[in-house]
Amino acid sequence: MSSSFDTSDNLFVSPGAPEKDDDSPSFEDLFDEPRSEDFLDDTEPEEQSATRERMQKIETLSEDPKPYFRNANFYQEALTGEGEIAKRLHSTLAQFLKADNPEDRSLYRNRLIPVYWDLARSLALKAYGTMPEPKMLLLRFGVLLPTMLDKDQRLMIAQIIQDNRWGEPIHYVDEWLKGIASGSFSLSATDETKAPTGQQVSRLARQVETARGKVEAQMTLIRTRNEEMESIESSLRRLVAELTEREVRYETQQKGPYTDAQRTIFADISADLRRLSHQGREMGRAYLELERYQDALADLKRQAEQAGENIDAVDTKAALEEMGTIRQMAKLCVGRQGNHFPLLSRQYFRGGLAAVGTRENVHNVLADVEYLDQGLFLRTFKQKTTRIVPNIILIPCYGDLGICWEPFERYNRATSRGRLAIPMYSKDLTTAVIAALGDLRWQVAKERAAHYWMEEGLTGWYYQWFSEQRMKGDVKDQFIQDYILWITRESNGTQKLSREVRDIFWRYIPFPQEVKDTLKNRGFVYQDLYKKDQNRAMSVGY
């Protein structure tokens, strides 16, 4: 490291580094030191089926600690190769950490924020390649200086599962930027109007993006068909096993005929075989359609290549642009009055691993919400309803509410995933995730209703109620707060919403039937809504 990163003041010595001989107080003296044996890394990869009718909760939330912080040069390696911006950050961070006066500390803290985002943009240019662990951890968790964390927090970071074992589209920032650079994900939409340049998305590029979306949606449909077939096959194996368990007759010591109960199994087996035959035919059609989509995608790529467009080329400039969007996502998650400090520090975050927005923790909150709101990720395309989970980006910031950046991509509204942003260090992770899902619910319903969003459907009924109450503020923000209450309180029978809003949500964001069956016994209001359901079910056109 160059002399500009000389750490003789011991402020930036990573845990485990040898102590200096001078008498100046070292920064690590303020914190507990990790033991090297606390960070072993002998984990084995784990796989699990990730495509289901809805998310299922997972039990593996952490793994054996990785030896991230054994590295005595962690801080230096995070900044090495980043040029002048690294020197600026080092200087500003040193001033911030040494400041005793609260006013000076606040001053340097505010100066540090834009410098950090400049450094993050520099790191974004390298996201596609193999990044050193300190740089990866800086982008992923906001960890730059290990001694800014206490021993338990360092252990917490070391225990977070690094890879995506579950298959759902939940991404850390470094993973997302790598996908942007490789073309696996398209750039997030922005409101900025740009002058025409060669970097803008061409017609062919948009067609390729749409074709990719169709291939992805068809793959999802095939996975769903496979799950249905596997479920029927499992049922069939169980029935046949029951059928073959004939009783042994005493007089001959040989198996006897089928019992009356076993004879009823023949009808069940016949029904399963018919269902399996139907699903097999549908699977065949699905694969034929997938081949057509794949051929169309390959043809579009050939056209792009002939036109001199390298659709699959690594685009580091795209990753750089996306980092600017991620900064905006972080600002929205934190809010105008929130804590915009960009680095993970013990003074701002005091929760344990369960409070962090890791991939696994967010996955489990999503599973809980999807159970209660089973239409949350469903989208209909060509008369087929498919479960499409949005891309979820985990932002290392201190925000309290997640956001829906876009419900789907601008050039592919039918099958694209869209994207949500979730703050990793919120006061309440469950609330942060539900807020983003409520935002998604509102935006999807609004897009579906188009010009009639104030008159029809979920948004129409809610907007009319909002207007009648003469409420102030943004109608979407109020909807999100009510959605949080709907999922967290009303689902348990705790009445927190107004009668009109509860009626709207009961109709347009219904709980599963087993929850409704429980709620009908929890009070007159739910019993009345339950009866309305029964009346609608008997009416024509429900």
Side-chain angles (χ1 to χ4, degrees):
M1 201 79 176
S2 66
S3 60
S4 59
F5 298 120
D6 178 26
T7 58
S8 59
D9 55 7
N10 265 1
L11 285 174
F12 303 99
V13 177
S14 296
E19 294 183 356
K20 299 291 181 180
D21 294 331
D22 59 28
D23 296 327
S24 59
S26 64
F27 189 70
E28 64 265 33
D29 288 340
L30 301 177
F31 304 96
D32 294 329
E33 292 296 324
R35 298 192 307 265
S36 60
E37 60 265 29
D38 288 339
F39 300 99
L40 304 177
D41 188 13
D42 55 358
T43 58
E44 292 292 330
E46 177 181 342
E47 294 185 1
Q48 179 168 322
S49 174
T51 305
R52 309 174 181 85
E53 291 184 1
R54 61 179 175 84
M55 281 192 189
Q56 303 297 321
K57 296 190 73 169
I58 55 181
E59 296 181 359
T60 306
L61 303 180
S62 62
E63 61 184 3
D64 291 340
K66 292 174 283 296
Y68 295 143
F69 304 116
R70 286 183 185 174
N71 182 359
N73 298 315
F74 185 100
Y75 174 76
Q76 289 87 341
E77 290 182 13
L79 296 182
T80 296
E82 304 306 326
E84 186 63 30
I85 185 61
K87 298 177 184 178
R88 286 172 51 207
L89 187 139
H90 172 74
S91 174
T92 309
L93 181 59
Q95 292 171 321
F96 168 75
L97 293 174
K98 290 178 180 179
D100 294 327
N101 187 304
E103 292 183 2
D104 291 342
R105 193 171 180 84
S106 177
L107 173 67
Y108 294 126
R109 175 182 175 278
N110 290 335
R111 288 181 181 176
L112 184 63
I113 295 172
V115 177
Y116 164 81
W117 285 107
D118 287 342
L119 176 66
R121 284 168 57 84
S122 177
L123 294 175
L125 292 171
K126 306 174 180 66
Y128 183 75
T130 301
M131 301 181 72
E133 282 183 348
K135 294 181 186 290
M136 180 272 287
L137 293 173
L138 178 56
L139 278 179
R140 182 174 291 200
F141 302 125
V143 176
L144 174 60
L145 184 61
T147 49
M148 290 179 68
L149 309 177
D150 62 29
K151 175 185 174 181
D152 290 338
Q153 289 172 329
R154 291 193 292 262
L155 179 61
M156 172 189 76
I157 295 296
Q159 288 178 317
I160 296 174
I161 298 173
Q162 188 173 93
D163 301 320
N164 187 348
R165 301 177 180 179
W166 325 109
E168 296 291 358
I170 305 174
H171 316 280
Y172 292 110
V173 167
D174 61 299
E175 296 171 334
W176 180 253
L177 292 173
K178 186 173 184 178
I180 290 290
S182 66
S184 299
F185 311 128
S186 62
L187 281 168
S188 300
T190 61
D191 294 330
E192 297 177 5
T193 303
K194 299 181 181 179
T197 68
Q199 296 295 327
Q200 281 198 302
V201 179
S202 68
R203 180 181 60 84
L204 268 176
R206 290 196 297 270
Q207 290 176 334
V208 168
E209 185 179 332
T210 301
R212 279 177 175 157
K214 290 181 179 179
V215 169
E216 184 177 322
Q218 197 65 17
M219 290 290 291
T220 301
L221 177 63
I222 288 172
R223 286 193 291 268
T224 302
R225 294 285 186 200
N226 261 312
E227 288 174 3
E228 292 171 352
M229 291 184 71
E230 288 171 0
S231 175
I232 299 170
E233 289 165 349
S234 176
S235 170
L236 198 56
R237 284 191 294 268
R238 178 181 56 79
L239 291 172
V240 171
E242 292 179 9
L243 193 65
T244 57
E245 292 296 322
R246 289 181 289 137
E247 295 180 358
V248 176
R249 298 293 295 261
Y250 171 76
E251 59 267 34
T252 62
Q253 294 300 304
Q254 299 291 322
K255 289 184 176 181
Y258 296 118
T259 64
D260 290 342
Q262 285 176 312
R263 279 193 289 271
T264 64
I265 293 176
F266 286 109
D268 295 334
I269 290 176
S270 178
D272 277 352
L273 288 172
R274 286 194 299 271
R275 291 169 59 204
L276 207 54
S277 175
H278 172 73
Q279 291 292 346
R281 289 193 299 271
E282 291 297 317
M283 178 74 80
R285 295 190 186 101
Y287 269 104
L288 287 174
E289 195 164 359
L290 175 63
E291 290 176 7
R292 288 197 295 271
Y293 289 150
Q294 289 175 328
D295 290 343
L297 177 58
D299 183 57
L300 286 169
K301 285 186 175 181
R302 281 193 295 270
Q303 292 180 39
E305 186 177 349
Q306 292 170 2
E309 295 186 40
N310 191 350
I311 299 296
D312 293 320
V314 175
D315 189 350
T316 56
K317 290 184 178 179
L320 180 66
E321 184 177 340
E322 186 70 8
M323 179 51 76
T325 304
I326 288 173
R327 182 180 183 181
Q328 297 305 313
M329 292 179 180
K331 284 183 177 180
L332 290 176
C333 288
V334 173
R336 186 170 298 178
Q337 303 299 322
N339 180 7
H340 291 270
F341 190 73
L343 300 176
L344 182 59
S345 172
R346 63 181 295 177
Q347 71 184 104
Y348 298 127
F349 180 78
R350 301 184 182 278
L353 184 58
V356 179
T358 65
R359 191 185 341 254
E360 290 70 30
N361 289 340
V362 170
H363 179 115
N364 280 350
V365 177
L366 292 171
D368 286 337
V369 178
E370 192 179 10
Y371 166 71
L372 293 170
D373 182 3
Q374 296 184 352
L376 181 62
F377 300 135
L378 299 183
R379 202 180 312 167
T380 301
F381 174 61
K382 288 191 173 181
Q383 299 181 336
K384 296 177 183 176
T385 299
T386 308
R387 174 178 175 270
I388 303 177
V389 181
N391 284 308
I392 297 167
I393 311 167
L394 306 178
I395 311 291
C397 67
Y398 300 102
D400 287 333
L401 298 177
I403 63 165
C404 173
W405 184 261
E406 51 184 325
F408 26 69
E409 295 172 11
R410 69 183 89 180
Y411 301 123
N412 181 12
R413 292 171 176 254
T415 59
S416 62
R417 291 187 183 273
R419 55 210 64 185
L420 311 182
I422 306 294
M424 294 188 65
Y425 309 120
S426 58
K427 293 178 182 176
D428 183 350
L429 178 62
T430 298
T431 298
V433 175
I434 296 175
L437 297 175
D439 195 354
L440 173 69
R441 259 295 193 180
W442 177 267
Q443 293 196 46
V444 169
K446 186 176 180 180
E447 291 288 343
R448 185 178 297 158
H451 301 298
Y452 303 100
W453 74 269
M454 292 184 288
E455 304 169 18
E456 298 179 354
L458 173 62
T459 56
W461 282 102
Y462 191 87
Y463 178 81
Q464 291 173 39
W465 167 81
F466 185 86
S467 300
E468 289 170 359
Q469 300 300 311
R470 300 182 182 276
M471 301 184 72
K472 296 180 180 180
D474 190 320
V475 61
K476 184 181 77 169
D477 291 343
Q478 183 61 47
F479 174 88
I480 291 171
Q481 293 302 318
D482 284 344
Y483 183 83
I484 292 171
L485 292 174
W486 178 245
I487 296 298
T488 59
R489 307 302 296 275
E490 294 278 347
S491 63
N492 297 321
T494 304
Q495 298 172 27
K496 291 293 182 180
L497 298 175
S498 69
R499 180 181 60 81
E500 296 84 357
V501 172
R502 185 182 299 108
D503 287 357
I504 295 168
F505 281 17
W506 186 276
R507 178 70 187 274
Y508 289 98
I509 313 177
F511 293 131
Q513 191 59 46
E514 54 265 36
V515 174
K516 287 184 174 182
D517 290 341
T518 301
L519 289 177
K520 72 176 181 180
N521 300 318
R522 297 292 297 273
F524 172 77
V525 291
Y526 298 114
Q527 187 177 30
D528 184 55
L529 290 168
Y530 193 89
K531 289 179 180 179
K532 289 180 180 178
D533 274 352
Q534 294 177 316
N535 293 336
R536 280 195 294 265
M538 291 186 292
S539 65
V540 178
Y542 174 71

